[in-house]
Amino acid sequence: MSTMNRRELLKFAAAGTVAVGTGALAVQVLTTSGSQAAVEGTGATGLDETYKGRRIQAAPAGLRAQSRDAAPAMPHVLIDGKPLHVMVNADGTYTSVSNHYETFKSLRAVARAAVDQLDGAQLVPLHHG
């Protein structure tokens, strides 16, 4: 029978922690409802509503046409016809440029939060480069 030194014990503890964390992440990803549910039951065409006098249109990534050579489809959100840059987090929640440090469970929630944040101001499209 061999004895285990402190270094070996720490290696096993670290490996166990990584294994448990990976398993928890896998369970969370597999149980997260699909992006269509993230629009909160708005049907196959996505979201189209008026909130506080602003027109919000949104479609999850799966509803947008995508070519073979294009980058992976991102959710598409428009406020008064102007695009709101929305990012999908690893856990299936959403973040926008107007609320970058807050996460939302649905496209409707992230779009409404952006309208609240704008407080009547017009959305200026984000340009890269």
Side-chain angles (χ1 to χ4, degrees), residues 35-76:
S35 59
Q36 181 58 35
V39 225
E40 299 179 356
T42 57
T45 59
L47 171 69
D48 191 353
E49 70 175 17
T50 302
Y51 175 70
K52 293 187 176 180
R54 310 292 288 269
R55 185 173 183 198
I56 297 173
Q57 297 170 293
L63 293 182
R64 295 181 62 202
Q66 180 179 353
S67 70
R68 283 186 312 148
D69 300 327
M74 296 296 290
H76 188 64

Side-chain angles (χ1 to χ4, degrees), residues 61-114:
L63 293 182
R64 295 181 62 202
Q66 180 179 353
S67 70
R68 283 186 312 148
D69 300 327
M74 296 296 290
H76 188 64
V77 177
L78 299 174
I79 297 176
D80 294 334
K82 295 184 176 127
L84 173 68
H85 183 72
V86 175
M87 296 146 285
V88 182
N89 300 315
D91 63 354
T93 59
Y94 299 95
T95 304
S96 75
V97 292
S98 67
N99 299 82
H100 195 74
Y101 297 105
E102 193 173 354
T103 60
F104 301 92
K105 292 186 178 192
S106 68
L107 289 176
R108 173 179 281 144
V110 77
R112 286 182 172 187

Side-chain angles (χ1 to χ4, degrees), residues 24-34 91:
L25 179 62
V27 167
Q28 187 174 12
V29 168
L30 293 174
T31 58
T32 300
S33 56
D91 63 354

Side-chain angles (χ1 to χ4, degrees), residues 10-22:
L10 288 174
K11 284 181 187 178
F12 283 117
T17 303
V18 169
V20 169
T22 303

